[in-house]
Amino acid sequence: KATVSVLYWNDKMSINNTYEYELPNVLRGVCSVRREGIGCPVDPKCAEVAKRVFPDIYGIEKLVLDAHEGLGDRTIGSRMKVGVILGGGLAPGAVELVAGLFAALKRWNDTSELIGFKSGMRGLVEDDGIVVTQALMSEMLAGSGMSCLGTGRMALDEEKIKLCTKTARARALTGIVVLGGSRSMADACKLSQYFKAHKVNTHVLCTAKRAESVVVNPRGKDELDVGYGYDSTTKVYSWLVGNIAADVSSARSSYHFVRLMGSKNSFSVLEIALDVHPNLAFIGEEIKANNTTLKQVVKKICDVVCTRSLQKRNYGVVVFPEAILNYINEMDTLLVEIAEIIENQAFDASLRQEGEYNKVISTRSAALSVSEVIEQLTPKSRELASSLPVWFIEQVSKPGSTTSDVQVEKLFASLCTTELTRRKKIGTFVGKFAAQTHFYGYEARCGAPSHRDCCHGYALGHSIHVLLEEGCTGYMVHLSNLHKDVANWIPKATPLTSIISLDKKGRTIVRNNQISLESYAFQALKMLRHDWAINDNYRFTVGTLSDAIPTTVQLDGLQRQHQESALLSTHQKETELLQYIDRLALSYGTFLKDRLAYEPPLPSVMRGAHQLHEITEASVGSVPHEKYTADLEKLFPHTFKTRKVFKVGGNDTSAGVRTGSRLRIGIVLSGGPAPGGHNVISGLHDFLKARNTSCVCIGFLNGPDGLLHGRAVEVNNQLLAKYRNQGGFNMLGTSRTKIETKEQFNMARQSVLKLALDGLVICGGDDSNTNAALLADYFLATGTSCSVIGMPKTIDADLRSPAMEMSFGFDTTTKVYSTLVANIMMDAQTTKTKWHFVRVMGRSASHIALECALQTKPNYTVISEEVAAKRRTVVDIVDEITSLVVARHKEGKNYGVVVVPEGLIEVTTDLSQLVDELNDVMAKGGTLDNIRKFLTPQSGKVFMLLPDWLKTQLMSERDPHGNVRVSLIESERLLASLVAQKLEAMGSHDFTYWCHFLGYQGRCSLTSNFDSDYCYVLGHLAGVLVAHKATGVIGAVRNLCQPVSKWELLGIPIVSLMRLEKRKGKLKPVIEKKLVSLDGPVFKQFSKNRDSWTTVDAYPQRSQLHHLKGVLDHSVTYTLALETIGNLQSKM
């Protein structure tokens, strides 16, 4: 079976990849259909309406598919022509469902046909469909996914149903299969009724995605027979939220507010909560049942923040559903009132003129100010709205806005900031509070399906074929027994009329699945969440690499077993539930176990005894710039003149001899987290223990802060067991504390002396390694016998030199970001309705954006270094993107992907000057109210043109260097909103967009094989350098594109990488950042190809998402391959 992975990237995948699907036992031969009694709505009112509206398909029996042993010799089935429609949002497994239906049709009668209708229900209405051939099916599986068909949202009225009937009759369709959510199922129900009533010989079946379907068992209680895609999307969400949790427990400085897609229910939140154990998880159904107010939700969050602050835990993770505001009754009322105000404004009779409908919608509605909207609200809603941020009312007042458009996560972060500021003033909050916000949705809808979802979709396709053979219509097809192995799954069909419900206006709709507060899954959350709120119980997952059954599904299966057992008492059931939860919390999946057991290889020079040779600086291209030589010599009097370059060599005369003197080495993880830090520690530990079992590895807690205060722990195998080859810095933690003053240098020295360290290893970026160089010089000046070794850590890849080919963390992070960008691209290409603006980390250098562009080929990519070199403005960039949007629109492509580096605002000529001035003003105590008088006229003009939300972000708290926190600046939203404004001014209304920030979900992700190997080697290298008493050097590895055995290990003087830079008015030594070279091979490769990616979709094929090599993939990034070899051969 192929390995399904979202973590490892490789573009050497062909269309010939195959996947081995499993089928339930009942579908492996001939099936029979068993009837299980009439299926009707439980609610009498719903039943009455359903019977009246759908009389011809009401009261039909529920169906179960069984293996039919008596017909095992049948070899041929009916010739059928079946149409398939993808409706609504996307979910992984849809292609597999189509593949399963295609395979079943061809298996039983190779003359049968499958027709895919384009753009959802619109394709059936307009008779726009294509015949699915074997070649097309292969292409869909390995290449285009469902993008060749697309999806759509078109509500069926009577006129459209007649057009569907015309298509069905003209094509002589045996059946129509609708894939989608509740709206799509409602359309399927309408079609079934109309076809039956008008004797159209076309059967209609549907199947639901994710957790939007609902099944009612004979006792009138909902069963959680989730749809295809639920397994994959929740695993991706768990992976992303788990990465956030790892980042949180590594950096320990912020609260992260995470909103998860799911406008119908809170199942995703419940599943992710049980998987990851965040500090707070809000379930919409509970909020509604308890009539919880917005103020109470904010109070709950702030109470937890205050409690955790008493333990010095000023960090945490809060998760809630996309539609949480709709579950808060007062907010739901407010949103309904605002929507009615906007609708009434748009359809004002006095403004209705022929041909001016769009104009009214786009201009007059948008012209309503916040105060005008609030004035028209009822008194209670007016009071509530007045307490909310202006930007929030603007968002919900935007014509056509939906639940997903509103940044609820930012609302909660803002309200909590206000409340905690109030508490701080009165002394009830003593900690610190900083917030980061996230929304996850599109990143998972079109990602690589998990093995379970592959099998789920494939089995549904086969089940649908059986039911069409039987002439069944008006059913939702689903699988039961999902808490068991694939072989034991049971295909079923539930009458659509049995899940009919009524909306607020009494119209028939298909009922959405809702979390039962009596369900075992919710009860488990209630049992555990108090402990999660106070303590750090985070769990980290591996996404679709996991073979685990969703926790909610497992607990639903346990509950069904208990319901069917009359022997167990209530106490016994509760005890068994607790034991079950404990087993789940302590369990590791197969992949994670294998990952923990993975043993990275070592270079040949490290396999026996070794030596350290001195080589010339020129041989490694690490000669200090003459301009700074004199100043650096003064700043580093003990290390600059005596600097040496070291190379590790083997000692053939003593091969196999690995013993040595007893060493004690401390290690510090400094700055932002990066994948691979734990393997540096593992490598150092294993080197020491192989050298002499009495050697000791000591880890400082919370980064440089732990070094200054002597907080440390001995690293041993037991501690490392959970962290080998894992992402994050959470084993020890990290901080951005700078060691600058004489007092701090002495504090570090005292910690080293107290612990009797022979060496100190500092893993960090340019600032952290500058600190390492200063410490090394200080230790020599004070006679402290402790080597100081730096390690190149930064996901930005801006800490490099000719001898130091790559910083650790870049490989994993860019593969994660590229995977997510590719998922977004597949979503955009399939829905064909949105432009996605994606901001990626990378402040000073754009290496991450450039690597992601080479990996995924977006339609437009901003490279900060190019913007700076050409002195371009934000307006210039907006003009180019606008022109691209127009050009793609002319080709019928109202979608696209734009990638932006987070440091963009610091390099555009119009914003960079403003940001510099704001940094100075903020240092002097400037505020949003008085900012204008501090700015130059030019910057003041630019500032006043910016939207209010961006002004607030630009005036947010600065970083330790006094600079704006670029991770908080939504530069992608600025570009998108300005493009929208320009297009509207041009009279275009076919532009919708969505914004993403890829940052914290990648910094602590499961480490790629390359970073696992690289960091493990760096740990050994650090030990070698300390053992040979080298100091003031940074570990470097060459030949990284070669097999590990051929890697070359070096120690480079940190001072050789330095220059002087003015910071806060003073010249300070800093390691020069390696920016993207516009004359370098990487940018040239990008520049040569980017024009061909603009109007043509060159996005990664589905094979690159689905059939990846997983743990066997040691491919390097384009950046490393191009810069070290000059070609891409090492990636192939």
Side-chain angles (χ1 to χ4, degrees):
K1 295 166 186 171
T3 299
V4 180
S5 168
V6 295
L7 292 174
Y8 300 89
W9 196 261
N10 191 310
D11 63 346
K12 187 189 175 184
M13 306 306 296
S14 73
I15 200 171
N16 296 320
N17 282 303
T18 58
Y19 191 91
E20 182 182 335
Y21 299 95
E22 293 181 63
L23 276 174
N25 290 334
V26 298
L27 293 173
R28 293 178 181 175
V30 178
C31 295
S32 62
V33 176
R34 171 165 50 90
R35 285 160 170 76
E36 275 201 333
I38 303 299
C40 298
V42 175
D43 183 271
K45 186 176 181 180
C46 292
E48 180 184 347
V49 173
K51 186 175 182 178
R52 185 180 73 249
V53 176
F54 305 106
D56 294 285
I57 57 171
Y58 184 81
I60 57 179
E61 296 168 303
K62 293 181 288 185
L63 309 176
V64 180
L65 270 61
D66 290 328
H68 198 310
E69 299 178 3
L71 296 177
D73 295 331
R74 195 183 75 170
T75 58
I76 191 167
S78 305
R79 182 182 185 278
M80 291 191 278
K81 291 181 70 174
V82 180
V84 64
I85 295 168
L86 180 61
L90 306 171
V95 179
E96 284 69 26
L97 192 154
V98 175
L101 177 56
F102 180 83
L105 286 169
K106 295 299 184 181
R107 173 190 177 189
W108 293 109
N109 193 318
D110 60 10
T111 65
S112 293
E113 288 185 15
L114 181 63
I115 299 165
F117 287 99
K118 295 183 177 181
S119 302
M121 196 62 71
R122 182 182 300 277
L124 184 62
V125 171
E126 299 176 355
D127 194 9
D128 185 10
I130 54 176
V131 175
V132 179
T133 63
Q134 183 62 60
L136 179 58
M137 192 70 255
S138 297
E139 167 62 22
M140 290 172 66
L141 283 167
S144 62
M146 294 295 285
S147 62
C148 61
L149 299 180
T151 184
R153 299 179 188 274
M154 174 184 278
L156 290 183
D157 55 24
E158 187 173 352
E159 190 61 35
K160 291 187 178 70
I161 291 176
K162 289 179 180 178
L163 292 172
C164 292
T165 303
K166 182 179 178 181
T167 300
R169 283 175 167 159
R171 288 185 177 264
L173 295 179
T174 310
I176 293 174
V177 181
V178 181
L179 285 60
S182 56
R183 293 179 185 176
S184 299
M185 288 190 286
D187 286 339
C189 198
K190 293 176 185 177
L191 280 179
S192 301
Q193 167 59 33
Y194 190 89
F195 286 0
K196 192 81 171 178
H198 292 80
K199 296 181 171 48
V200 181
N201 195 27
T202 302
H203 311 300
V204 182
L205 299 173
C206 69
T207 186
K209 63 183 186 297
R210 300 197 287 272
E212 294 183 17
S213 60
V214 62
V215 181
V216 182
N217 67 25
R219 291 175 294 279
K221 295 184 178 180
D222 294 349
E223 294 182 353
L224 185 59
D225 285 344
V226 295
Y228 70 88
Y230 180 76
D231 187 78
S232 302
T233 52
T234 55
K235 280 176 176 172
V236 172
Y237 293 153
S238 290
W239 170 53
L240 295 175
V241 177
N243 289 353
I244 292 292
D247 197 292
V248 159
S249 55
S250 298
R252 305 175 186 180
S253 59
S254 298
Y255 276 83
H256 289 250
F257 291 73
V258 184
R259 177 167 56 111
L260 297 175
M261 183 174 275
S263 59
K264 310 299 183 185
N265 51 50
S266 306
F267 276 104
S268 291
V269 172
L270 183 56
E271 178 65 32
I272 276 61
L274 294 171
D275 281 352
V276 180
H277 303 176
N279 302 104
L280 283 166
F282 288 99
I283 304 301
E285 290 84 342
E286 180 187 24
I287 288 173
K288 191 169 188 67
N290 295 335
N291 197 21
T292 305
T293 65
L294 179 64
K295 188 174 182 179
Q296 289 171 331
V297 173
V298 173
K299 180 180 182 300
K300 175 64 176 176
I301 298 171
C302 292
D303 288 348
V304 170
V305 171
C306 290
T307 302
R308 288 178 61 82
S309 72
L310 298 175
Q311 306 172 48
K312 300 190 182 302
R313 289 175 173 163
N314 295 306
Y315 57 89
V317 181
V318 182
V319 183
F320 47 87
E322 177 183 21
I324 186 171
L325 296 185
N326 298 114
Y327 285 106
I328 301 173
N329 291 327
E330 60 179 358
M331 286 299 297
D332 187 47
T333 300
L334 172 64
L335 296 177
V336 169
E337 288 185 23
I338 290 176
E340 290 175 350
I341 290 169
I342 300 303
E343 184 178 356
N344 291 337
Q345 181 72 8
F347 289 92
D348 190 324
S350 64
L351 292 175
R352 273 173 143 180
Q353 297 179 23
E354 188 68 28
E356 292 196 23
Y357 173 77
N358 286 334
K359 181 178 177 182
V360 172
I361 287 288
S362 62
T363 59
R364 181 60 189 268
S365 298
L368 277 176
S369 67
V370 170
S371 59
E372 288 174 327
V373 172
I374 292 177
E375 284 175 5
Q376 298 182 54
L377 296 170
T378 60
K380 189 173 182 179
S381 291
R382 188 183 309 131
E383 180 182 358
L384 176 60
S386 300
S387 68
L388 302 175
V390 171
W391 62 261
F392 173 77
I393 303 299
E394 288 176 341
Q395 283 190 0
V396 298
S397 301
K398 184 179 178 182
S401 65
T402 62
T403 305
S404 61
D405 297 326
V406 183
Q407 294 176 287
V408 184
E409 64 279 14
K410 292 188 183 298
L411 174 65
F412 282 123
S414 174
L415 295 176
C416 288
T417 299
T418 302
E419 171 61 14
L420 290 167
T421 301
R422 183 191 71 80
R423 293 190 186 191
K424 196 150 199 171
K425 288 180 180 178
I426 62 176
T428 56
F429 174 50
V430 296
K432 297 179 181 179
F433 180 77
Q436 295 284 349
T437 59
H438 314 269
F439 170 59
Y440 295 139
Y442 300 99
E443 297 87 345
R445 300 197 317 177
C446 262
S450 64
H451 176 64
R452 289 182 65 83
D453 266 336
C454 286
C455 297
H456 194 146
Y458 201 69
L460 283 173
H462 280 262
S463 303
I464 288 167
H465 174 265
V466 173
L467 294 167
L468 289 175
E469 282 269 17
E470 290 288 323
C472 302
T473 191
Y475 284 95
M476 178 186 71
V477 186
H478 57 100
L479 300 175
S480 192
N481 265 17
L482 291 173
H483 60 286
K484 297 184 178 181
D485 293 336
V486 175
N488 295 306
W489 290 353
I490 300 174
K492 293 184 177 181
T494 295
L496 284 168
T497 53
S498 71
I499 53 176
I500 286 295
S501 186
L502 304 176
D503 65 10
K504 293 178 181 178
K505 295 182 180 180
R507 296 172 299 193
T508 56
I509 57 173
V510 169
R511 186 158 63 93
N512 292 303
N513 205 353
Q514 296 289 305
I515 291 174
S516 167
L517 302 187
E518 297 177 359
S519 69
Y520 275 17
F522 180 75
Q523 291 303 315
L525 176 66
K526 285 183 66 176
M527 293 175 184
L528 299 169
R529 61 185 173 187
H530 176 74
D531 185 44
W532 297 350
I534 307 304
N535 301 305
D536 294 350
N537 294 305
Y538 309 131
R539 295 180 74 240
F540 316 114
T541 69
V542 295
T544 52
L545 291 166
S546 170
D547 55 4
I549 300 169
T551 305
T552 47
V553 174
Q554 290 190 59
L555 293 177
D556 181 68
L558 178 66
Q559 187 166 14
R560 293 189 200 188
Q561 292 174 17
H562 284 179
Q563 288 173 344
E564 294 168 1
S565 173
L567 301 177
L568 293 175
S569 66
T570 301
H571 176 71
Q572 288 174 318
K573 292 178 181 178
E574 290 177 353
T575 301
E576 189 169 336
L577 173 59
L578 282 170
Q579 292 173 344
Y580 199 94
I581 294 169
D582 288 340
R583 287 198 300 272
L584 290 176
L586 296 173
S587 64
Y588 287 93
T590 303
F591 180 86
L592 193 54
K593 289 178 182 177
D594 292 344
R595 198 72 190 142
L596 288 166
Y598 173 68
E599 296 182 6
L602 286 172
S604 299
V605 295
M606 290 300 300
R607 293 176 185 169
H610 50 262
Q611 295 178 331
L612 205 59
H613 307 288
E614 290 184 25
I615 58 176
T616 64
E617 289 182 327
S619 66
V620 295
S622 183
V623 181
H625 198 289
E626 290 183 9
K627 178 181 178 181
Y628 306 115
T629 300
D631 291 317
L632 289 173
E633 188 173 336
K634 292 177 183 178
L635 291 167
F636 298 93
H638 299 88
T639 53
F640 189 80
K641 279 189 175 181
T642 59
R643 65 187 186 278
K644 298 175 182 177
V645 180
F646 299 103
K647 179 179 178 181
V648 179
N651 187 341
D652 295 334
T653 61
S654 58
V657 178
R658 305 187 66 175
T659 58
S661 59
R662 183 174 183 268
L663 293 174
R664 292 173 61 85
I665 302 179
I667 186 165
V668 177
L669 302 177
S670 179
H678 291 144
N679 269 33
V680 178
I681 302 171
S682 301
L684 177 60
H685 169 272
D686 292 354
F687 167 83
L688 289 171
K689 293 304 180 182
R691 174 186 175 86
N692 188 322
T693 55
S694 63
C695 289
V696 179
C697 179
I698 295 173
F700 285 96
L701 302 174
N702 297 330
D705 193 58
L707 173 62
L708 294 178
H709 297 92
R711 293 194 292 267
V713 62
E714 182 175 335
V715 177
N716 52 38
N717 277 318
Q718 184 177 359
L719 178 61
L720 283 171
K722 294 192 298 181
Y723 297 100
R724 289 182 183 271
N725 308 303
Q726 304 300 299
F729 281 9
N730 45 306
M731 185 176 88
L732 299 178
T734 184
S735 67
R736 296 185 181 273
T737 303
K738 292 184 67 64
I739 302 176
E740 296 180 301
T741 66
K742 289 184 179 179
E743 180 185 4
Q744 288 175 317
F745 284 130
N746 186 53
M747 291 172 68
R749 178 173 177 268
Q750 293 304 318
S751 294
V752 165
L753 292 174
K754 183 179 178 181
L755 293 168
L757 297 184
D758 299 289
L760 177 66
V761 180
I762 298 178
C763 301
D766 52 344
D767 283 331
S768 300
N769 277 284
T770 298
N771 281 344
L774 292 167
L775 272 177
D777 204 82
Y778 178 78
F779 284 177
L780 289 174
T782 56
T784 308
S785 182
C786 177
S787 299
V788 182
I789 308 299
M791 288 287 120
K793 179 271 331 172
T794 169
I795 65 169
D796 293 350
D798 56 6
L799 177 54
R800 288 186 285 158
S801 72
M804 192 163 54
E805 294 177 348
M806 186 51 66
S807 57
F808 77 77
F810 177 77
D811 186 270
T812 303
T813 304
T814 54
K815 287 173 180 175
V816 169
Y817 293 165
S818 294
T819 298
L820 297 176
V821 171
N823 289 355
I824 291 166
M825 287 172 164
M826 186 63 75
D827 194 292
Q829 197 175 24
T830 305
T831 58
K832 307 181 190 300
T833 58
K834 277 188 176 68
W835 276 80
H836 293 263
F837 288 71
V838 184
R839 174 168 49 106
V840 296
M841 276 193 167
R843 177 171 194 155
S844 300
S846 302
H847 296 294
I848 292 176
L850 187 55
E851 177 65 30
C852 289
L854 291 171
Q855 294 272 13
T856 63
K857 305 174 180 62
N859 305 106
Y860 189 92
T861 304
V862 178
I863 302 299
S864 293
E865 290 84 346
E866 183 182 26
V867 172
K870 294 181 178 180
R871 297 189 57 76
R872 302 177 70 194
T873 65
V874 169
V875 174
D876 295 332
I877 297 170
V878 168
D879 286 346
E880 284 194 2
I881 298 174
T882 303
S883 297
L884 176 59
V885 172
V886 172
R888 287 179 63 83
H889 171 72
K890 290 178 179 177
E891 296 189 6
K893 297 177 179 179
N894 293 313
Y895 62 92
V897 178
V898 177
V899 173
V900 183
E902 68 175 349
L904 174 64
I905 63 162
E906 296 185 311
V907 295
T908 56
T909 54
D910 44 1
L911 287 181
S912 60
Q913 181 181 339
L914 171 62
V915 170
D916 288 341
E917 291 184 29
L918 288 176
N919 289 338
D920 292 336
V921 171
M922 291 288 287
K924 298 173 183 176
T927 64
L928 192 58
D929 296 328
N930 63 13
I931 192 69
R932 281 294 303 278
K933 68 180 182 180
F934 292 105
L935 299 175
T936 61
Q938 181 179 352
S939 292
K941 183 179 179 181
V942 173
F943 187 76
M944 294 309 295
L945 291 173
L946 298 176
D948 290 339
W949 58 264
L950 184 58
K951 292 176 185 175
T952 302
Q953 290 177 0
L954 287 171
M955 295 295 291
S956 62
E957 184 182 358
R958 268 32 191 177
D959 68 12
H961 306 299
N963 298 321
V964 65
R965 295 180 184 271
V966 292
S967 64
L968 296 176
I969 308 301
E970 296 176 289
S971 50
E972 78 286 5
R973 190 172 297 278
L974 173 64
L975 293 180
S977 61
L978 292 177
V979 170
Q981 287 179 22
K982 183 160 187 177
L983 287 167
E984 186 172 351
M986 294 165 59
S988 173
H989 306 294
D990 291 325
F991 178 74
T992 58
Y993 64 85
W994 193 259
C995 297
H996 311 259
F997 173 45
L998 305 183
Y1000 300 96
Q1001 63 271 66
R1003 300 195 313 180
C1004 289
S1005 184
L1006 183 72
T1007 308
S1008 68
N1009 269 8
F1010 175 85
D1011 272 331
S1012 292
D1013 296 348
Y1014 180 34
C1015 293
Y1016 191 71
V1017 170
L1018 284 175
H1020 278 74
L1021 175 57
V1024 171
L1025 293 170
V1026 171
H1028 289 273
K1029 302 188 183 303
T1031 192
V1033 299
I1034 186 170
V1037 181
R1038 288 200 298 192
N1039 298 335
L1040 287 173
C1041 288
Q1042 301 298 320
V1044 176
S1045 61
K1046 297 181 180 180
W1047 287 2
E1048 190 175 275
L1049 311 186
L1050 305 168
I1052 309 296
I1054 301 175
V1055 291
S1056 299
L1057 308 174
M1058 289 187 174
R1059 62 185 179 89
L1060 297 180
E1061 186 178 286
K1062 193 173 183 179
R1063 288 189 177 179
K1064 296 182 180 179
K1066 295 181 181 179
L1067 283 175
K1068 292 194 174 184
V1070 296
I1071 296 175
E1072 185 172 10
K1073 291 181 182 292
K1074 179 179 173 59
L1075 304 180
V1076 171
S1077 170
L1078 303 186
D1079 296 320
V1082 186
F1083 183 81
K1084 284 184 176 180
Q1085 177 78 8
F1086 164 73
S1087 183
K1088 181 177 70 175
N1089 292 287
R1090 61 177 164 183
D1091 287 345
S1092 65
W1093 305 339
T1094 53
T1095 54
V1096 175
D1097 295 346
Y1099 306 149
Q1101 291 193 326
R1102 192 169 184 268
S1103 58
Q1104 293 169 258
L1105 304 179
H1106 187 97
H1107 303 288
L1108 303 182
K1109 291 184 178 179
V1111 294
L1112 303 179
D1113 180 8
H1114 288 263
S1115 64
V1116 299
T1117 59
Y1118 280 88
T1119 301
L1120 182 58
L1122 286 165
E1123 290 192 347
T1124 57
I1125 297 179
N1127 58 56
L1128 303 180
Q1129 293 305 309
S1130 64
K1131 284 185 60 59
M1132 306 307 286

